[in-house]
Amino acid sequence: MQAVNIRFDGLTAIVTGSAGGIGKAIARELAASGANVVIVDVLLDAAKATAAEIAQEFGVGALAVKCDITKQAQVDKMVARAAQKFGGVHVLVNNAGLSYPAHLVDMTDAQWNKMLAVNLTGTKNCGKAFIAQVLKQKTGGAVINISSKSGVHGSADL
């Protein structure tokens, strides 16, 4: 299979949960393809380190934003800040996710509610703010939602 070389020069991508792990790898790939990247995470120091690394290595704009995606007001501010800094937003990667290594019978209500808030409400909040900004810009945009294999195949953990 041949690799596809897609360029994102001049476009801005928001990647949630991107201070480390898969989100960081996604942000790095987008930056390598020319995109400015917005590193969104609840861990500000890690987000700043990732943004600095990406800016230095790829020569693109990189903005670190501390944001709890379960809070619509924080998400709205994050998207507005990204659009103001880079002149618009074009790609949203909903990568942030949360799971607990517990069987359903052992999971607390607080854990369950936090998991739903991040995985579902956070995805909705980011999509809502991003789409509103793209419509305001009158440009196209793309939303990419990431899930684990548990979204397709059941888990014995429940």
Side-chain angles (χ1 to χ4, degrees):
M1 179 178 274
Q2 188 173 6
V4 178
N5 185 19
I6 299 174
R7 298 296 306 169
F8 291 89
D9 298 304
L11 301 179
T12 298
I14 297 170
V15 184
T16 66
S18 55
I22 293 169
K24 180 177 179 178
I26 292 166
R28 288 179 55 80
E29 286 298 319
L30 287 162
S33 296
N36 298 312
V37 292
V38 182
I39 307 302
V40 179
D41 210 287
V42 294
L43 305 172
L44 182 58
D45 289 342
K48 284 180 177 179
T50 295
E53 173 188 315
I54 286 172
Q56 182 177 21
E57 186 172 345
F58 300 106
V60 298
L63 173 66
V65 180
K66 180 178 181 177
C67 180
D68 178 346
I69 63 169
T70 69
K71 311 289 187 216
Q72 187 69 60
Q74 287 187 32
V75 173
D76 292 344
K77 287 179 184 176
M78 175 271 294
V79 171
R81 184 173 170 202
Q84 187 274 327
K85 176 161 179 70
F86 296 115
V89 294
H90 308 92
V91 177
L92 168 64
V93 180
N94 281 313
N95 167 73
L98 177 66
S99 66
Y100 292 100
H103 294 284
L104 182 61
V105 297
D106 299 323
M107 193 178 294
T108 67
D109 286 348
Q111 289 173 318
W112 177 259
N113 291 334
K114 182 67 175 178
M115 187 171 62
L116 289 179
V118 172
N119 297 349
L120 299 178
T121 304
T123 298
K124 182 274 298 179
N125 290 345
C126 291
K128 182 178 180 178
F130 176 80
I131 291 167
Q133 178 61 41
V134 168
L135 291 172
K136 182 178 166 185
Q137 293 168 190
K138 297 182 175 27
T139 63
V143 177
I144 301 164
N145 295 320
I146 306 292
S147 73
S148 72
K149 67 180 180 178
S150 295
V152 177
H153 301 287
S155 173
D157 291 342
L158 296 177

